[in-house]
Amino acid sequence: MDIKFRLLALQKLAGCALIVLVSVGLIGIAALHPAHAQDAAPPVLDDACSKQAPNPLPFHVQPLSIASGYHRGAAVGAAAPTHKIPGAPWRSAPGQQPAFQTEVKIAGATWLQLRFGRSALGRHSYILLTAQADGGQQPLAASSLAEWQNQSALFNGESVTVALYVAPGDEGVFFELTEAVVGEPTSAAANSAAPGGPTPESVCGADDRVSSTDPAVGRLAPIGCTGWIASNGSFLTAGHCNRPTMTILEFNVPQSLANGTTVQAAPQDQYPVVAGSIVSMEGTGDNDWAVFNVGRNANTNLLPVQAQNAFYRLSTDLTPATIRITGYGVDGPAPCFGDRRQPGCTIPTPTPVPLNSNNQTQQTNAGPSQGLTGTHWEYEVDTQGGNSGSPIIQDGANWTVGIHTHGSGAMCPSAYNGGTAFNNAGLAAAITTFPGPNAIYVDQNHPVNILLQAGTPFRPYKSAATGYAQTADNGILSIVAGSYNETLTLNRPMSVVAPVGTVIIGAP
């Protein structure tokens, strides 16, 4: 999906035509370096800190045995089945009846995700899923069902209607439903660790986190971590979040119920994690990271950066005095703040810890940086389980310096929360090669000192012409969104991509 230029000569003259690159994302490009994919987690190393563990949304898997049967569409030339779905490019077709319809209802479920077995949807037929609780819908055609890896979005409530619409000319159309992932009330998931157990506090004193709406930061579900959009189109989180249940990245997450039970984002705000794209390392606090890609939303056909219009730049040079952490940590009343392992929490196992409506919704807090040691940042900022993977942000800017991974190793203020810095060699390499090998980066608004420009995501060139000159034949030139007032001549084969927004090159 990158934009390919293979030109003998094309020159943009000042004051004449503009070169415009529209944000296209990098879906599937991770296949260029499959050797980086991690099939098994590496051994976990001892650490003075403790991983800020994921806080999985509680669920169980229930077998299903539902088959639609085989169906044939009307003669070619008849009206194709279409539905109007909010935010989706579907036309309205009142009165159109499905060839097959069923209801998946599991009493007491707080949310449902459906998994498909075999299917054949032809060229234009599709499945339409509708949540009875809030009317959320998702259409799945053959291509989108494959991109979603044969599973649906997460739907709120205990009932989902599944309808099959068969297009004219399609034959042998069918699907099978094999499993339902059944969400459970969050309050039913008692933390098995004993009070004052091995994971030390992450909230220092009072909990100073507040609700936030950062469009670049999403919730990974059902693993219960934080993931976010980077300036080269990649997505970042903590390495210990790389589990089989890291399947959905959702944005614009609503408040949880009063008892802390999570509510899922609307289907048009959910994106499938591309399992084969994940490159990760799970180690100590200075070496815990994951880089991954996501597929398009099935409703809107958009990538997250197109829908959210937001991303974070990356730096290895900044030394912020104040650091902000934004993510989806657990929450509840003091003194447990949603985790029985907080010092002062005396609720015995297996009694559930009380939660509140902020539980695993987006919250943010800023506090003093305690500095960078090697490849490990430390800071006095309130976080909790579920914040794993959050961006380490320079407060007041859209620059980031690393990935939040760990809670403090002792009672504050003798130790602090922390994460992995971008000067970690493995992390830097995984981000840099995300679109493929031989990538050069350009970003005129990056804070890098002009003397340190190196064409990396962390020290990009500020000029598109400089980036082009440094890009090898058949390499990749990645340009961050913006208007570049300069002349650019393209006369060599290479891929030019605009991963996070529209790029305009030329005089205004």
Side-chain angles (χ1 to χ4, degrees), residues 26-31 37 146-149 151 220 235 242 246-249 271-279 291-296 303 434:
L26 298 167
I27 229 11
I29 216 78
E147 189 166 20
W148 278 71
Q149 297 158 107
Q151 59 189 1
L220 285 163
F235 299 83
N242 181 14
M246 193 179 90
T247 61
I248 301 292
L249 179 61
Y271 303 84
V273 173
V274 180
S277 73
I278 304 171
V279 184
V291 182
F292 64 98
N293 205 351
V294 302
R296 292 183 180 272
L303 295 167
F434 172 77

Side-chain angles (χ1 to χ4, degrees), residues 24 32 36 93 101 106 130 148 201 241 254 263 293 337 436 439-440:
V24 294
L32 292 175
H36 291 296
Q101 181 169 303
I106 300 177
T130 305
W148 278 71
E201 71 179 308
C241 295
V263 178
N293 205 351
F337 306 118
I440 294 294

Side-chain angles (χ1 to χ4, degrees), residues 175-202:
F175 70 83
E176 297 172 347
L177 284 171
T178 58
E179 291 180 328
V181 183
V182 183
E184 301 171 352
T186 303
S187 59
N191 191 320
S192 60
T199 298
E201 71 179 308
S202 299

Side-chain angles (χ1 to χ4, degrees), residues 41-399:
V44 177
L45 305 178
D46 290 335
D47 188 11
C49 299
S50 179
K51 289 186 179 68
Q52 191 128 59
N55 204 73
L57 314 185
F59 69 88
H60 65 274
V61 177
Q62 183 164 319
L64 298 176
S65 183
I66 297 174
S68 68
Y70 293 87
H71 299 272
R72 173 185 296 178
V76 175
T82 54
H83 272 76
K84 179 62 179 176
I85 298 173
W90 298 70
R91 295 169 298 158
S92 177
Q96 178 74 46
Q97 295 299 311
F100 172 83
Q101 181 169 303
T102 188
E103 180 185 17
V104 177
K105 183 174 183 178
I106 300 177
T110 60
W111 54 267
L112 292 173
Q113 181 185 41
L114 303 184
R115 293 176 176 170
F116 293 84
R118 298 183 306 147
S119 66
L121 295 178
R123 295 183 62 188
H124 300 296
S125 301
Y126 64 92
I127 302 163
L128 182 65
L129 300 97
T130 305
Q132 298 305 302
D134 57 12
Q137 290 187 309
Q138 182 185 38
L140 291 171
S143 58
S144 52
L145 184 59
E147 189 166 20
W148 278 71
Q149 297 158 107
N150 291 318
Q151 59 189 1
S152 75
L154 309 179
F155 292 94
N156 290 309
E158 62 180 19
S159 176
V160 175
T161 299
V162 186
L164 175 63
Y165 290 87
V166 181
D170 283 350
E171 297 184 0
V173 176
F174 79 102
F175 70 83
E176 297 172 347
L177 284 171
T178 58
E179 291 180 328
V181 183
V182 183
E184 301 171 352
T186 303
S187 59
N191 191 320
S192 60
T199 298
E201 71 179 308
S202 299
V203 172
C204 189
D207 188 352
D208 295 319
R209 293 175 295 166
V210 296
S211 294
S212 56
T213 56
D214 188 331
V217 183
R219 182 173 70 188
L220 285 163
I223 184 62
C225 281
T226 300
W228 50 283
I229 308 169
S231 57
N232 72 335
S234 66
F235 299 83
L236 306 182
T237 190
H240 61 267
C241 295
N242 181 14
R243 298 289 185 268
T245 53
M246 193 179 90
T247 61
I248 301 292
L249 179 61
E250 54 181 344
F251 294 87
N252 308 319
V253 175
Q255 287 295 104
S256 297
L257 303 182
N259 68 355
T261 297
T262 55
V263 178
Q264 307 310 313
Q268 57 264 32
D269 291 320
Q270 298 184 35
Y271 303 84
V273 173
V274 180
S277 73
I278 304 171
V279 184
S280 72
M281 173 59 68
E282 181 179 354
T284 55
D286 60 355
N287 193 25
D288 191 326
W289 51 267
V291 182
F292 64 98
N293 205 351
V294 302
R296 292 183 180 272
N297 181 271
N299 293 42
T300 65
N301 201 37
L302 297 178
L303 295 167
V305 72
Q306 295 170 307
Q308 298 299 111
N309 193 32
F311 60 90
Y312 275 108
R313 291 177 166 89
L314 318 176
S315 175
T316 53
D317 299 307
L318 296 175
T319 55
T322 302
I323 280 176
R324 179 170 296 278
I325 303 294
T326 300
Y328 292 81
V330 299
D331 201 1
C336 300
F337 306 118
D339 190 331
R340 75 175 74 253
R341 294 166 294 187
Q342 281 288 133
C345 183
T346 59
I347 297 176
T349 305
T351 304
V353 172
L355 303 170
N356 59 27
S357 61
N358 290 324
N359 180 57
Q360 292 184 270
T361 64
Q362 192 187 111
Q363 296 187 87
T364 189
N365 181 228
S369 169
Q370 299 301 318
L372 175 67
T373 303
T375 61
H376 185 239
W377 280 102
E378 288 190 328
Y379 32 83
E380 190 175 341
V381 181
D382 289 336
T383 63
Q384 277 287 43
N387 271 111
S388 291
S390 296
I392 304 175
I393 306 164
Q394 176 172 304
D395 190 33
N398 83 326
W399 331 125

